[in-house]
Amino acid sequence: MSYISNNINWYALSDATIIQSLGKELKKKRLAQNLTQQGLADRCGLFRSTISEIENGRISSLLS
């Protein structure tokens, strides 16, 4: 299993930058597995719109 690069100094990044990075990585992994957003949402028990928000860096609830 591969993880997001450990070469990134996460402490130096803003919350928004971290969320955007996580979203991009999620999308990359989802597409590599040939999954749609709906397919991933079904597997995770989330709404498709939640997956879209995460991939687009619009998840303020992660901060709270």
Side-chain angles (χ1 to χ4, degrees):
M1 178 183 290
S2 65
Y3 294 96
I4 297 175
S5 173
N6 289 329
N7 296 328
I8 296 173
N9 182 0
W10 294 101
Y11 296 105
L13 301 176
S14 69
D15 290 343
T17 302
I18 292 170
I19 290 170
Q20 289 174 345
S21 296
L22 291 172
K24 287 179 185 179
E25 188 68 19
L26 175 66
K27 184 175 183 177
K28 181 177 148 186
K29 299 290 184 185
R30 176 181 63 78
L31 293 174
Q33 293 183 23
N34 199 30
L35 282 172
T36 63
Q37 287 181 341
Q38 186 62 56
L40 179 59
D42 292 343
R43 286 184 177 194
C44 298
L46 298 170
F47 293 109
R48 188 216 46 85
S49 59
T50 303
I51 300 296
S52 177
E53 289 176 4
I54 293 169
E55 288 184 355
N56 290 296
R58 296 188 307 255
I59 48 171
S60 60
S61 62
L62 181 64
L63 300 175
S64 57

